[in-house]
Amino acid sequence: MAQQNFRVGRLEQEIQREVNDILLKRVRDPRVEGITVTGVEVTGDLQQATIYYSLLSELASVNQKAATGLDAAKGLIRKELGARLRIYKTPELFFKQDESVQYGNKIDDLIRKLNSTD
């Protein structure tokens, strides 16, 4: 069982590195510029991968455009992953925005407000 978890962890790291590279070098869609892959979760059977990404912009319109751009590039990204990774079947990809960066900014703002009132 430990061997399986180790394999999943290695695959998650490999997918994260490769998807970042693919987004940077292969995807020409301007909607996906500035996207950083922050994490990957792969199911135990290696059939599905959820890719978490973050953006510098907090505007809803930019976030929507980025989600649409990633959805449009999903086929290209999966094809490139299949060519780069040495696995039997390339997992199905799902993209989800990472909320942790925005949450961290919110916490920083709250702490700053507390310190400024003192």
Side-chain angles (χ1 to χ4, degrees):
M1 190 66 180
Q3 182 68 21
Q4 180 68 14
N5 290 336
F6 180 70
R7 182 175 184 213
V8 169
R10 273 194 347 226
L11 183 62
E12 289 173 346
Q13 290 175 351
E14 189 73 22
I15 288 174
Q16 181 174 351
R17 188 174 72 233
E18 293 297 337
V19 170
N20 263 329
D21 189 55
I22 292 166
L23 287 173
L24 190 64
K25 296 178 181 174
R26 295 280 293 148
V27 178
R28 303 268 187 243
D29 194 339
R31 296 176 290 186
V32 298
E33 287 180 1
I35 289 179
T36 304
V37 176
T38 58
V40 177
E41 286 183 1
V42 178
T43 58
D45 60 358
L46 309 178
Q47 297 295 309
Q48 297 176 342
T50 303
I51 300 172
Y52 294 95
Y53 66 92
S54 67
L55 291 166
L56 292 177
S57 175
E58 293 182 11
L59 298 174
S61 62
V62 174
N63 292 338
Q64 183 61 36
K65 286 179 184 177
T68 306
L70 284 172
D71 198 39
K74 190 184 296 187
L76 172 70
I77 295 169
R78 186 171 183 207
K79 179 182 172 191
E80 283 288 320
L81 272 178
R84 295 179 184 201
L85 299 178
R86 293 179 177 255
I87 54 176
Y88 179 69
K89 183 178 178 190
T90 307
E92 186 177 352
L93 304 178
F94 300 97
F95 290 96
K96 188 172 181 183
Q97 187 171 3
D98 189 1
E99 305 288 335
S100 64
V101 175
Q102 294 167 346
Y103 181 73
N105 288 339
K106 182 179 175 182
I107 297 297
D108 284 342
D109 288 341
L110 290 172
I111 291 172
R112 257 187 245 111
K113 286 179 185 176
L114 281 174
N115 289 336
S116 67
T117 58
D118 290 344

